[in-house]
Amino acid sequence: MTDTKTKAGADTVATKFRNSLKELMETIGKTNSQYVRCIKPNKNKSPKEVDNIMVLEQLRCAGVIEAIRVSRAGFPARMPLKEFVQRFLVLA
């Protein structure tokens, strides 16, 4: 017997986790993300509970809030080198 199905034919926890992880990796593979941040929604590990203060503190400590603030102010966080050189070559 493999760990993918029980005798009753239902998926095991390991199978569900593996499939969920596979879907996540496929989704991440389709994006151009620079990084992935994991934010814990609550201390109780409950899927239906969100502690807004806890989430905000994690975002603040990770620098996400400040990055959003800078972006909203109109300052790009990243600029390709080629574009930077073309734009600021006059100052050199």
Side-chain angles (χ1 to χ4, degrees), residues 36-55:
V36 174
R37 285 205 203 285
C38 296
I39 304 296
K40 295 180 182 174
N42 60 65
K43 292 180 182 177
N44 301 327
K45 298 182 181 178
S46 171
K48 297 180 181 180
E49 181 182 337
V50 176
D51 181 348
N52 289 332
I53 294 172
M54 182 178 163
V55 170

Side-chain angles (χ1 to χ4, degrees), residues 18-76:
R18 190 179 306 115
N19 292 338
S20 178
L21 183 60
K22 182 181 175 188
E23 288 177 23
L24 175 62
M25 294 308 293
E26 287 172 358
T27 301
I28 290 172
K30 294 176 185 175
T31 65
N32 295 325
S33 59
Q34 300 280 331
Y35 54 87
V36 174
R37 285 205 203 285
C38 296
I39 304 296
K40 295 180 182 174
N42 60 65
K43 292 180 182 177
N44 301 327
K45 298 182 181 178
S46 171
K48 297 180 181 180
E49 181 182 337
V50 176
D51 181 348
N52 289 332
I53 294 172
M54 182 178 163
V55 170
L56 182 62
E57 186 62 26
Q58 291 176 75
L59 293 172
R60 187 175 289 122
C61 289
V64 174
I65 301 296
E66 188 60 28
I68 291 170
R69 197 174 288 136
V70 168
S71 179
R72 283 185 178 170
F75 302 104

